Amino acid sequence: MPSDFISDDLVFFVNGKKIVEKNADPEMTLLTYIRRKLGLTGTKLGCGEGGCGACTVMISKYDHFQKKILHYSINACLAPVCSLHHTAVTTVEGIGSVTSRLHPVQERIAKAHGSQCGFCTPGIVMSMYSLLRNTPQPAMEEIEEAFQGNLCRCTGYMPILDGYKTFANNSGCCGSKGKQNGCCLNKEETDEMYLQARLYDPSEFKPIDPTQEPIFPPELLLFDRLPSKQLQFKGERMVWIQPCSLSGLLSLKAEYPDAKLVVGNTEIGIEIKYKNMLYPVILAPAYISELNIVQHTEEGIIFGAACTLTLIGDVLRKAVSELPKHKTEVFQAVLEQLRWFAGQQIRNVAAVGGNIMTASPISDLNPVFMAAGCKLTLLSTGGKRVIKIDDKFFTGYRKTALKPQEILLSVEIPYTRQGQYFSAFKQASRREDDIAIVNCGMSVLFKEGTNVVKELLLSYGGMAPTTVLAGKTCGKLIDREWNEELLQEACCLLAEEMSLSPSAPGGMVVYRRTLTLSFFFKFYLTVQQKLIKDLGANNYHAEHLPPGYASATELFHKDLPSSVQIFQAVPSGQSMEDVVGRPVVHLAALKQATGEAIYCDDMPRYENELYLTLVTSTKAHAKITSIDTAEAMEMPGVVCFLSYKDIPGSNITGSVVMDETIFAEDTVTSVGHIIGAIVADTQAHSQRAAKAVKITYDELKRTITILDAIANKSFYQPIRKIERGNIDKGFQEADHVVEGEMHMGGQEHFYLETHCTLAIPKGEDGEMELFASTQDATKTQALVAKALGVPSNRIVCRVKRMGGGFGGKESRSTLLSTVVAVAAHKVRRPVRCMLDRDEDMLITGGRHPFLGRYKVGFLKTGQIVAVDVTYYSNAGSSRDLSMAIMERALFHMDNSYNIPNIRGFGYVCKTNLPSNTAFRGFGGPQGMLIAECWLSDVAMKCGLPAEQVRKINMYKQGDVTPYSQKLEQFTTDKCWEECLVLSNYHHRRKQIEEFNS
């Protein structure tokens, strides 16, 4: 077949329907394609970077290398539509519907009360569905692993797992841990009521029948017999080429040396979307046989560079089960890292070659590959060469030793030798699906039959712009015995070699340096334990590790999820028509589980609809000196640029106090302050044009932190105060006085659905209909009317449903709504905008950071007699709801404690941050946490158990609060005692003290 035989027809199936796309855009993702072109809105956009799982779909394809049909979940937000040639896509709409037949996966999450806002539900459904297509009776561990890449922000994971464990072959229950006698699922009868442990009856669920699932399109099985074709798709800015042979790939790489090779698009896709990178030529080698080989050799296992991480995990697990244990230490380390490597959707498509060539300094696998001395086979039209991943392979940040014309053909993961021990460690902010703070691979080889070090390799990620080898440390420990003396010297050498400057990117400098030593300590203990076993304690002259030390050598294993909740059941004689006390399935749960529930951005496009993208400030506080839109206006599809000059009514806005502007006029007061907006025919065109708007600034003095505001006396007025009793007298009566302070950072709302508004002009007199994801439709109506200069009755605001809010859509949603409304008014056409996740987090603010400074007087018994506390909150660049939030914090300054003399001040700090806003708890959590801080200080000073100090200070029936509320029908003291009993608190505390003694 001629090498220039090129096809530009993209052929794939969606829910059984054949799609032939002749003008596929290389920059379009599968998510955009199925939502915009096919109108299948069940698949949601949550984060746009493969982190939340809201966009999960199932891909089915015939794998020519494994000779079988594969079903696997992917993130549609990252998958280029061009990568789906000859595959079948199944979305949530393709497996069931409320109007026809619910799939058991959809039914169970809904009826188990696993859906609340419902925005994440279709993605969770498809993750579970993909698992069941491969494993009809999965283990509970497999179900948990399938959800590693799925986030839920409002429901909580317990009801989701509770519903889906009915599919598991080992779901069980609490293992009789829920009660002293019997199972947690058994009903208990008391004199007063029945108790039940479940809100649904699993016997009512439809059974899953694998024979009723949609079949793989037979047409796709025939393509293996057809001539191979090179695919090529050309977009406005990018060309996508899928070569059909290795020689064709090498020729293309020689012709386009700067071209990027893409398999899973899990890195390049994010760079294009969020880092404004442009790659004119993309080469897609995923179907080239030489890049997909799995070959067992005498030295190890060779994986083609296009092999996915899921495939590598499967192969290595099989090897570990079949080979002698001493040969598989590296394999086990790779598998341990893969357990926590992104989510299942990412591992299903991400290629090992992409992981290596990305050269990330915090890669989970590259430190392992470096410490193992993995071999890489490189290829170009000039020939082949084999190199090792060593300290010379990574030449700089995101750079490797490959030449521009070379490609990575394969990587060989070696067997470990007799006397070689290998471990890998990773520390992240959370264990699953998170980037590493520091990670490492560690290998030691001993001289035969001894504990004398022959070779040592310690490789770290997160400690430099590249993956680094602690070469000096390793060199000085050769020929040393593996003992405590070596441990002490190794820690000293590592502390010196693994240094970081105080301003190192990523911060946490001291912690990261400590991790390098901690990891080696764990490695030392692990190896010591293995030496004792392999050489024998007598030959090794070493004692067995104490239990407290031995626990550090164990790999982390999660227990199966178990939980017990007891609910009051309705009395046996209650009428079926009486729903009080009966668990009722969420009214929209079934539609949410099938993807039929409509959210703001799911509404069908209007024929002449336009899309808006915000242009925001990159400076915290500055004068705007110029705005250059010339380049942006010349870009394809652009209709207009908006600024404050285009507002027909008032540019002044605000949720409570009118102290904000819709568009910045001459000064910006925070990064993310809206300066203007681009309106274009598509989202892609408007986003590209918005990035082309050039703004120059004259920077001004800025106030960022609470401490900055205190120093500058930058506060919103008035200062809030609550006081009861005589503070001075209370401190005079106290036996002890302690002072302290507590800082709390902010928090992002992370509702799965970002802010979204669709505005439709209705006539010449300013009438407009808005569809918005907001918690305050009335305020949206009023502020849009104010911006347009029309009476409120001409504005209709509709809210179908929201994909989460948590207070973040109570007042800040009006920022976007007013801008979109102004745009629709100007162009006289419907305008839509749904913020990308980075835009949403940049603009909308979150929970208020707080600083609490306190002075507490108390008796030797722990009785608190006086508290003087001052709260400072970081409100940001406008008041918003900050005053009310501070008032709520002051109302909680005593938490649950009766303090006879107490005074609280509240200072709301004016800073140059995006305005913070309502957040679930509304100031209460900050106020209570600071109260618990000073109470803990009292307990420590008195030397008394904290629970005892809490109890003697706790409110009782009839007490009066600082804000003059008499506590009636008050049961906190009884609840406290019940919690101590149910948690077995005193016994557990005794065990902890014995362990730590």
Side-chain angles (χ1 to χ4, degrees):
M1 181 58 58
S3 60
D4 59 349
F5 185 39
I6 297 175
S7 171
D8 61 358
D9 287 350
L10 177 66
V11 179
F12 63 106
F13 285 74
V14 177
N15 297 333
K17 180 181 178 181
K18 185 177 181 180
I19 305 293
V20 180
E21 182 65 46
K22 293 186 176 295
N23 299 302
D25 182 358
E27 294 188 72
M28 182 175 287
T29 64
L30 172 62
L31 177 65
T32 302
Y33 188 90
I34 61 178
R35 286 181 63 84
R36 298 289 182 265
K37 289 207 168 186
L38 303 183
L40 300 175
T41 57
T43 310
K44 309 299 184 188
L45 173 63
C47 67
E49 55 184 80
C52 73
C55 64
T56 302
V57 298
M58 188 183 79
I59 300 295
S60 304
K61 72 174 183 179
Y62 179 77
D63 189 285
H64 305 296
F65 315 109
Q66 301 182 56
K67 303 300 181 184
K68 64 179 182 179
I69 298 171
L70 300 180
H71 306 287
Y72 53 92
S73 57
I74 70 164
N75 293 119
C77 69
L78 289 179
V81 69
C82 295
S83 68
L84 299 170
H85 191 56
H86 290 180
T87 66
V89 180
T90 303
T91 72
V92 69
E93 294 95 338
I95 66 172
S97 166
V98 294
T99 58
S100 56
R101 171 184 174 273
L102 282 174
H103 192 277
V105 175
Q106 298 167 325
E107 177 195 34
R108 295 189 193 192
I109 193 172
K111 293 185 177 179
H113 310 279
S115 178
Q116 189 173 347
C117 85
F119 202 79
C120 66
T121 307
I124 292 173
V125 165
M126 292 311 297
S127 288
M128 187 68 206
Y129 178 77
S130 300
L131 173 62
L132 292 176
R133 286 301 299 264
N134 294 300
T135 313
Q137 286 190 310
M140 199 61 205
E141 297 91 334
E142 294 175 298
I143 293 177
E144 277 200 276
E145 184 178 352
F147 294 141
Q148 282 182 353
N150 290 88
L151 296 181
C152 175
R153 287 290 290 116
C154 54
T155 306
Y157 298 98
M158 194 204 75
I160 297 170
L161 289 173
D162 197 39
Y164 281 156
K165 73 182 181 183
T166 56
F167 288 113
N169 58 21
N170 63 339
S171 64
C173 59
C174 70
S176 297
K177 298 175 184 176
K179 303 185 307 183
Q180 291 183 348
N181 297 304
C183 172
C184 65
L185 301 183
N186 291 339
K187 293 182 179 180
E188 294 182 352
E189 184 175 351
T190 69
D191 294 337
E192 300 179 1
M193 67 191 76
Y194 287 96
L195 299 180
Q196 62 183 16
R198 275 185 170 166
L199 297 179
Y200 60 91
D201 184 358
S203 65
E204 296 179 356
F205 290 154
K206 298 176 185 176
I208 188 165
D209 185 356
T211 64
Q212 298 303 304
E213 301 298 344
I215 65 171
F216 183 71
E219 183 178 346
L220 294 181
L221 293 173
L222 302 176
F223 284 120
D224 196 33
R225 307 172 188 171
L226 298 176
S228 297
K229 300 178 182 179
Q230 176 174 298
L231 292 176
Q232 180 169 308
F233 306 108
K234 188 173 183 180
E236 290 180 357
R237 307 189 303 167
M238 183 185 294
V239 176
W240 175 284
I241 305 175
Q242 182 176 303
C244 57
S245 66
L246 181 60
S247 60
L249 173 63
L250 295 177
S251 298
L252 288 167
K253 186 59 174 168
E255 183 179 356
Y256 306 107
D258 295 329
K260 291 288 184 179
L261 273 65
V262 169
V263 176
N265 201 46
T266 57
E267 183 68 26
I268 297 299
I270 293 174
E271 289 184 350
I272 292 174
K273 182 172 181 61
Y274 290 109
K275 297 183 181 180
N276 206 24
M277 303 292 287
L278 176 62
Y279 300 108
V281 178
I282 294 290
L283 304 180
Y287 292 93
I288 295 175
S289 57
E290 292 88 344
L291 293 176
N292 287 274
I293 61 165
V294 177
Q295 182 179 350
H296 296 257
T297 68
E298 293 183 358
E299 296 182 354
I301 304 179
I302 295 175
F303 293 96
C307 288
T308 66
L309 300 182
T310 295
L311 174 62
I312 289 174
D314 292 341
V315 173
L316 293 183
R317 268 186 289 273
K318 183 178 180 182
V320 167
S321 66
E322 295 175 349
L323 294 173
K325 189 174 181 180
H326 77 272
K327 297 184 69 174
T328 63
E329 293 242 341
V330 174
F331 297 171
Q332 293 179 62
V334 172
L335 289 172
E336 178 63 18
Q337 296 298 81
L338 286 177
R339 287 176 67 196
W340 318 116
F341 192 113
Q344 188 67 51
Q345 297 95 320
I346 296 293
R347 296 195 296 270
N348 285 338
V349 297
V352 64
N355 178 83
I356 295 171
M357 295 307 300
T358 296
S360 169
I362 51 173
S363 162
D364 290 341
L365 293 180
N366 286 343
V368 180
F369 293 156
M370 181 178 287
C374 291
K375 294 179 182 178
L376 303 180
T377 300
L378 311 179
L379 200 60
S380 69
T381 52
K384 178 190 297 185
R385 64 184 179 119
V386 178
I387 63 174
K388 271 190 175 184
I389 300 183
D390 54 20
D391 55 346
K392 298 181 181 62
F393 179 73
F394 297 107
T395 57
Y397 178 70
R398 303 268 182 175
K399 295 180 180 179
T400 68
L402 267 72
K403 299 173 183 176
Q405 296 85 1
E406 285 183 318
I407 66 164
L408 173 60
L409 180 66
S410 63
V411 55
E412 182 179 39
I413 304 178
Y415 302 125
T416 40
R417 294 165 279 176
Q418 194 75 43
Q420 182 182 2
Y421 302 96
F422 198 100
S423 293
F425 304 104
K426 171 184 176 179
Q427 184 63 50
S429 295
R430 70 170 190 164
R431 196 172 294 276
E432 295 176 340
D433 195 6
D434 198 5
I435 60 175
I437 299 170
V438 176
N439 50 25
C440 69
M442 297 185 171
S443 173
V444 61
L445 175 65
F446 295 104
K447 294 181 180 179
E448 187 175 353
T450 72
N451 69 327
V452 178
V453 177
K454 182 178 180 181
E455 294 178 11
L456 180 65
L457 290 172
L458 307 176
S459 175
Y460 287 97
M463 294 302 295
T466 65
T467 302
V468 292
L469 199 64
K472 294 180 181 178
T473 300
C474 296
K476 291 184 178 180
L477 298 178
I478 301 299
D479 295 327
R480 299 285 299 278
E481 289 191 5
W482 196 261
N483 53 29
E484 288 196 22
E485 185 180 339
L486 176 141
L487 173 63
Q488 295 297 330
E489 185 169 351
C491 289
C492 292
L493 293 168
L494 282 171
E496 182 179 350
E497 186 172 4
M498 293 290 106
S499 62
L500 286 170
S501 69
S503 61
M508 298 187 289
V509 169
V510 175
Y511 178 55
R512 286 155 67 186
R513 293 187 65 187
T514 303
L515 283 174
T516 62
L517 308 185
S518 300
F519 288 158
F520 184 79
F521 181 60
K522 287 173 68 73
F523 181 58
Y524 169 81
L525 293 176
T526 303
V527 172
Q528 187 183 40
Q529 194 172 48
K530 291 179 179 178
L531 283 173
I532 292 171
K533 181 179 179 181
D534 294 346
L535 299 181
N538 294 331
N539 294 332
Y540 181 31
H541 303 295
E543 297 181 359
H544 288 279
L545 298 178
Y549 282 58
S551 63
T553 67
E554 299 173 2
L555 297 178
F556 178 81
H557 291 286
K558 293 193 300 183
D559 294 330
L560 286 177
S562 64
S563 59
V564 180
Q565 281 187 296
I566 304 298
F567 306 94
Q568 179 179 341
V570 297
S572 57
Q574 181 170 317
S575 168
M576 291 301 297
E577 284 75 24
D578 186 354
V579 298
V580 175
R582 300 185 189 277
V584 178
V585 175
H586 189 320
L587 292 177
L590 295 176
K591 285 188 176 182
Q592 290 169 349
T594 61
E596 294 168 279
I598 300 299
Y599 297 80
C600 186
D601 194 49
D602 297 336
M603 296 183 62
R605 264 58 192 162
Y606 285 82
E607 183 178 353
N608 60 341
E609 182 180 299
L610 299 173
Y611 200 91
L612 178 144
T613 298
L614 300 176
V615 177
T616 59
S617 168
T618 58
K619 303 296 180 182
H621 192 202
K623 290 280 188 182
I624 301 173
T625 57
S626 69
I627 301 175
D628 183 0
T629 62
E631 181 182 349
M633 295 304 296
E634 293 177 357
M635 298 181 76
V638 174
V639 174
C640 70
F641 172 79
L642 296 174
S643 70
Y644 72 94
K645 299 175 183 177
D646 298 292
I647 296 176
S650 173
N651 190 35
I652 304 301
T653 189
S655 59
V656 177
V657 179
M658 296 293 168
D659 62 347
E660 297 183 71
T661 58
I662 300 170
F663 293 109
E665 297 187 10
D666 56 0
T667 304
V668 293
T669 56
S670 69
V671 174
H673 193 163
I674 300 172
I675 297 173
I678 288 285
V679 180
D681 58 347
T682 67
Q683 181 181 19
H685 286 156
S686 69
Q687 289 180 338
R688 291 172 199 164
K691 293 174 182 176
V693 176
K694 296 180 176 63
I695 303 173
T696 56
Y697 307 89
D698 185 5
E699 293 196 59
L700 304 172
K701 181 181 178 181
R702 58 185 182 268
T703 301
I704 302 298
T705 67
I706 290 175
L707 295 179
D708 291 341
I710 294 172
N712 298 331
K713 292 183 172 52
S714 179
F715 305 119
Y716 292 108
Q717 298 298 325
I719 308 303
R720 297 305 190 192
K721 176 186 175 183
I722 295 179
E723 184 173 7
R724 179 179 70 175
N726 189 321
I727 286 291
D728 295 333
K729 181 181 177 182
F731 283 118
Q732 289 173 4
E733 295 173 350
D735 295 330
H736 302 286
V737 175
V738 297
E739 297 184 50
E741 64 181 32
M742 183 181 189
H743 295 256
M744 278 175 283
Q747 184 183 357
E748 287 292 343
H749 293 93
F750 204 80
Y751 24 71
L752 261 289
E753 178 203 31
T754 60
H755 286 272
C756 181
T757 297
L758 169 62
I760 304 103
K762 292 290 186 177
E764 297 300 324
D765 55 356
E767 285 189 42
M768 186 170 292
E769 185 174 17
L770 282 90
F771 295 89
S773 181
T774 180
Q775 292 173 267
D776 194 342
T778 300
K779 182 65 69 173
T780 301
Q781 177 195 39
L783 293 181
V784 167
K786 186 173 187 293
L788 298 184
V790 299
S792 293
N793 63 1
R794 295 185 188 175
I795 307 299
V796 176
C797 181
R798 301 184 186 276
V799 183
K800 179 68 174 176
R801 57 172 53 85
M802 289 186 299
F806 320 122
K809 295 177 180 177
E810 184 173 339
S811 59
R812 305 314 291 168
S813 61
T814 59
L815 286 174
L816 181 66
S817 297
T818 49
V819 171
V820 174
V822 168
H825 182 272
K826 177 175 180 176
V827 299
R828 301 294 179 184
R829 292 167 63 178
V831 177
R832 181 189 305 250
C833 179
M834 181 177 183
L835 297 180
D836 279 344
R837 180 62 60 187
D838 60 329
E839 295 173 319
D840 192 283
M841 287 188 168
L842 179 71
I843 295 167
T844 57
R847 189 188 294 279
H848 286 67
F850 260 66
L851 165 64
R853 289 176 173 169
Y854 53 83
K855 179 180 178 182
V856 187
F858 52 96
L859 306 179
K860 294 177 181 178
T861 60
Q863 182 73 45
I864 299 172
V865 294
V867 171
D868 192 4
V869 61
T870 302
Y871 291 108
Y872 300 90
S873 70
N874 194 330
S877 57
S878 73
R879 285 179 179 83
D880 193 70
L881 300 170
S882 299
M883 283 295 178
I885 290 165
M886 177 56 75
E887 291 166 0
R888 178 69 177 270
L890 287 171
F891 290 144
H892 287 280
M893 67 181 180
D894 54 339
N895 199 3
S896 297
Y897 309 114
N898 189 3
I899 315 300
N901 307 289
I902 187 169
R903 180 174 66 191
F905 289 97
Y907 290 82
V908 178
C909 300
K910 181 179 182 179
T911 64
N912 296 118
L913 291 180
S915 187
N916 286 309
T917 188
F919 201 117
R920 185 169 286 179
F922 206 77
Q926 293 97 319
M928 291 186 285
L929 191 57
I930 291 169
E932 290 302 313
C933 184
W934 51 251
L935 188 133
S936 296
D937 287 354
V938 170
M940 291 180 65
K941 181 69 175 180
C942 293
L944 297 172
E947 71 275 8
Q948 180 179 326
V949 177
R950 287 185 169 90
K951 182 177 180 180
I952 64 176
N953 287 287
M954 200 168 287
Y955 278 121
K956 296 178 177 59
Q957 173 77 17
D959 287 343
V960 179
T961 68
Y963 41 89
S964 303
Q965 178 184 0
K966 186 176 181 180
L967 301 176
E968 299 174 341
Q969 298 182 352
F970 190 74
T971 60
T972 297
D973 52 344
K974 295 179 182 179
C975 290
W976 176 255
E977 292 298 329
E978 187 176 343
C979 286
L980 292 177
V981 172
L982 291 176
S983 64
N984 205 9
Y985 176 85
H986 294 291
H987 176 67
R988 292 166 67 182
R989 175 166 181 157
K990 182 180 178 182
Q991 288 181 313
I992 292 169
E993 290 173 349
E994 290 174 354
F995 180 84
N996 288 327
S997 61

